[in-house]
Amino acid sequence: NEDGWASDANGLKVPGPRYKTNLVDGHPFGALVGRVNAKGEVFFVGSQMNRKGLPAGRLHLAVNDNRHWQNNLGTFRVLLTATDAYD
């Protein structure tokens, strides 16, 4: 919180003063996002998501950030419950 860039899983509504945009790929900067499979559509996860009808495949989660992710610090803890799923 000291530098204005601290975020929760919902991301920043207005990033720091030197950042040109507050959205990357249409989702809040710093938010937890996901997609199914490497080429899947990116969707907002945030602090809570309840979504049905995802395609079969591997779920990928990431922080919506620019290419300078090396300066990030911290973690998000994710609890996943899958229903009507099969291996």
Side-chain angles (χ1 to χ4, degrees), residues 19-63:
Y19 201 76
K20 302 285 188 252
T21 180
N22 67 338
L23 298 178
V24 178
D25 293 329
H27 304 292
F29 186 84
L32 184 63
V33 293
R35 70 178 174 197
V36 178
N37 297 320
K39 304 256 183 195
E41 176 184 345
V42 176
F43 53 85
F44 177 78
V45 174
S47 62
Q48 185 175 2
M49 182 187 95
N50 185 359
R51 186 163 176 175
K52 295 180 181 183
L54 290 174
R58 186 176 297 251
L59 175 63
H60 299 264
L61 298 174
V63 173

Side-chain angles (χ1 to χ4, degrees), residues 42-83:
V42 176
F43 53 85
F44 177 78
V45 174
S47 62
Q48 185 175 2
M49 182 187 95
N50 185 359
R51 186 163 176 175
K52 295 180 181 183
L54 290 174
R58 186 176 297 251
L59 175 63
H60 299 264
L61 298 174
V63 173
N64 192 22
D65 197 354
N66 59 31
R67 295 176 193 234
H68 302 289
W69 55 267
Q70 299 88 344
N71 60 0
N72 293 348
L73 177 68
T75 60
F76 292 135
R77 188 177 295 245
V78 175
L79 172 64
L80 174 70
T81 303
T83 57

